[in-house]
Amino acid sequence: MRYFIELSYNGKEYHGWQNQPNALSVQEVVEKGLSTLLGQPIAIMGAGRTDAGVHATQLFAHFDTAVNFVPKDLTYKLNSFLPIDVAINRIFKVKPEAHARFDAISRTYLYRVALKKNVFTFDNAYFVKQDLDVEKMNEASKMLLEYKDFQCFSKSNTDVKTYYCDITYAEWFFKDDELHFVIKANRFLRNMVRAIVGTMINIGLGKISVDELHTIIASKNRSEAGYSVPAHGLYLTNIEYPEDIKL
């Protein structure tokens, strides 16, 4: 049987989602927990990779096993086994061909910018001291929907076959003492969201104009875009799948 597992994690202590040869990953601790509880080696495939320090409020992965278990019971046991910063939300059966990565229709990210120094959220949001022109930042965000090729925001030396992404939503809004950026697309390139946010902040600071974003995207050159904001403010918040993948 193939199962989907929905989980959340605080990425502070991890070197990203994907297994690493010499660093702790979220994938590693979840695989260890499943393998121990099911009594056989379990490999899981995630919906995507998050970089070191990035969080997820919702991520899906799939795994195969012939071991019979009650999903609700395994969810409870796995949560007891895993460290406090990784939580299993649910486990459910899917069709044998269902794939956590390739069947995903869309992914949504949130980036949190703190506008006020806060001793309780400093490691969950990126603090920006200067005033930001949010109207200009939203004007620039709307421009993202006009393009498909986002090579300028991609980490260099990646092994992707295409830099095309279909962005369907991108907006900045205030929430309490923070400024939040939410972006939704069918796929994202490595470091893409953090590079977009850094570029938008530069626009909000008046370092570059809104119109210059056209030139930056057309350049397909990472060095033309803004800086990459810190990982600790980034959250993967939602992944959508077709309803028919479930059994």
Side-chain angles (χ1 to χ4, degrees):
M1 292 294 302
R2 176 159 290 188
Y3 295 86
F4 263 34
I5 182 169
E6 180 189 348
L7 63 149
S8 308
Y9 55 85
N10 183 317
K12 183 180 179 181
E13 301 299 328
Y14 300 94
H15 200 76
W17 159 261
Q18 194 168 8
N19 283 333
Q20 305 288 328
N22 299 304
L24 184 65
S25 70
V26 180
Q27 182 181 9
E28 179 185 336
V29 298
V30 176
E31 286 182 339
K32 181 180 178 181
L34 282 170
S35 299
T36 300
L37 294 173
L38 294 178
Q40 64 176 207
I42 298 291
I44 58 177
M45 168 61 70
R49 63 180 68 175
T50 54
D51 290 336
V54 175
H55 317 291
T57 59
Q58 184 186 65
L59 185 138
F60 289 92
H62 73 251
F63 67 94
D64 298 323
T65 183
V67 177
N68 290 320
F69 64 87
V70 178
K72 189 175 181 180
D73 292 345
L74 181 60
T75 300
Y76 176 82
K77 291 176 182 177
L78 195 51
N79 273 321
S80 300
F81 185 90
L82 292 172
I84 193 67
D85 49 12
V86 179
I88 306 303
N89 301 322
R90 58 181 174 139
I91 299 172
F92 56 95
K93 291 181 182 179
V94 293
K95 293 179 178 178
E97 68 275 12
H99 199 285
R101 179 182 174 189
F102 298 132
D103 285 340
I105 297 171
S106 70
R107 297 161 173 84
T108 303
Y109 280 91
L110 160 70
Y111 196 87
R112 294 170 55 185
V113 175
L115 302 174
K116 179 181 178 181
K117 188 175 182 179
N118 188 321
V119 297
F120 299 109
T121 64
F122 67 89
D123 57 354
N124 300 118
Y126 174 43
F127 177 40
V128 176
K129 300 177 183 179
Q130 304 95 320
D131 292 333
L132 297 169
D133 189 329
V134 181
E135 186 175 338
K136 286 184 178 179
M137 293 164 72
N138 266 325
E139 188 180 342
S141 295
K142 290 177 182 177
M143 289 166 52
L144 295 173
L145 278 62
E146 302 173 14
Y147 292 89
K148 299 296 182 186
D149 189 328
F150 294 101
Q151 185 173 354
C152 70
F153 296 125
S154 174
K155 194 168 186 176
S156 302
N157 302 318
T158 58
D159 56 356
V160 296
K161 295 180 180 178
T162 175
Y163 293 98
Y164 277 45
C165 304
D166 184 15
I167 297 176
T168 55
Y169 180 84
E171 186 176 5
W172 290 90
F173 57 90
F174 291 100
K175 185 171 183 180
D176 300 324
D177 292 325
E178 294 185 355
L179 183 59
H180 287 190
F181 178 64
V182 174
I183 185 168
K184 179 179 179 180
N186 65 327
R187 64 190 291 265
F188 288 91
L189 306 169
R190 288 198 65 189
N191 204 57
M192 179 174 167
V193 179
R194 291 164 63 190
I196 288 175
V197 172
T199 304
M200 296 292 170
I201 288 176
N202 281 345
I203 290 173
L205 293 172
K207 293 182 178 181
I208 58 176
S209 68
V210 174
D211 286 340
E212 283 182 87
L213 184 59
H214 289 295
T215 305
I216 291 170
I217 295 175
S219 75
K220 300 184 181 182
N221 188 337
R222 178 65 187 90
S223 64
E224 294 295 319
Y227 69 108
S228 179
V229 290
H232 68 270
L234 183 60
Y235 300 76
L236 175 59
T237 60
N238 184 254
I239 304 176
E240 291 181 307
Y241 292 94
E243 280 296 322
D244 62 4
I245 68 168
K246 299 178 182 178
L247 282 179

